Amino acid sequence: MKSLYLKYKDFIMEVIHFGMVGVINTLMGWIIMAVLYNLIHMNYWLSSGISYFIGSVFSYHANGKVTFKVENRDKWLPWRFAVNIIVCYLIAFSVAQPFVTYLLSLGEGTYSKALTDNVAMLFGMCFFIVMNFFGQKLFVFRKGKKTEDSHRA
């Protein structure tokens, strides 16, 4: 068991740190999204989009420093991060709304648009988190050959 832990220690620590940053980011994002949608009455896309933009700025800095410990920030890093966030957001929230609408239609009752959208936003957030972790690990904050060679020297 110890050898298995040692083999995957870095990955485990990345998941734990990503989770800690994610908890803060998710709570902050959900509050912003809920206020914009339920109190200010912005639509599904605008409320979730503004929330994800604000959360993404926090996530970029926190995950770069804490989770993936990136010190050599190349000029493309912010662009890769932005592309990752946009792609994950569009996929997660495009899938979430019709999926939740379909699931709720299987039940006996009818549900308000507000309830359906709130459940869809929650589902979209969960789907986004999983895609975003792997996108940041494999695409945004990837450890390239250049970085690994400089650590060996």
Side-chain angles (χ1 to χ4, degrees), residues 11 14 18 60 63-64 68 70 72-89 91 130-145 147:
F11 178 75
E14 285 176 346
F18 189 83
Y60 172 77
N63 281 318
F68 301 109
V70 174
N72 274 354
R73 295 183 184 240
D74 64 55
K75 66 181 179 182
W76 296 107
L77 186 63
W79 296 105
R80 287 195 311 265
F81 185 85
V83 166
N84 178 65
I85 293 295
I86 291 167
V87 168
C88 291
Y89 169 77
I91 292 171
V130 174
M131 289 190 312
N132 186 35
F133 172 79
F134 287 104
Q136 286 190 39
K137 178 167 181 54
L138 302 173
F139 177 64
V140 178
F141 298 112
R142 66 183 184 255
K143 295 195 169 60
K145 191 171 183 117
T147 306

Side-chain angles (χ1 to χ4, degrees), residues 4-137:
L4 191 61
Y5 169 75
L6 291 174
K7 182 177 180 180
Y8 295 105
K9 180 183 174 195
D10 290 342
F11 178 75
I12 292 167
M13 293 311 296
E14 285 176 346
V15 170
I16 290 169
H17 288 134
F18 189 83
M20 291 172 13
V21 168
V23 166
I24 295 167
N25 196 13
T26 300
L27 289 174
M28 178 179 68
W30 180 252
I31 290 168
I32 293 168
M33 200 179 326
V35 166
L36 294 176
Y37 184 83
N38 295 305
L39 298 179
I40 300 177
H41 303 292
M42 288 185 177
N43 70 34
Y44 173 85
W45 286 106
L46 196 53
S47 58
S48 62
I50 290 170
S51 169
Y52 270 77
F53 176 79
I54 294 168
S56 295
V57 172
F58 168 76
S59 180
Y60 172 77
H61 294 291
N63 281 318
K65 273 192 184 298
V66 176
T67 305
F68 301 109
K69 296 175 178 50
V70 174
E71 293 177 22
N72 274 354
R73 295 183 184 240
D74 64 55
K75 66 181 179 182
W76 296 107
L77 186 63
W79 296 105
R80 287 195 311 265
F81 185 85
V83 166
N84 178 65
I85 293 295
I86 291 167
V87 168
C88 291
Y89 169 77
L90 289 173
I91 292 171
F93 282 83
S94 293
V95 168
Q97 199 171 35
F99 181 70
V100 168
T101 301
Y102 171 75
L103 285 180
L104 292 177
S105 74
L106 297 175
E108 302 245 346
T110 56
Y111 302 96
S112 70
K113 178 168 177 24
L115 177 66
T116 302
D117 283 351
N118 276 285
V119 172
M121 286 187 285
L122 186 59
F123 179 80
M125 289 175 80
C126 294
F127 191 35
F128 175 88
I129 289 167
V130 174
M131 289 190 312
N132 186 35
F133 172 79
F134 287 104
Q136 286 190 39
K137 178 167 181 54

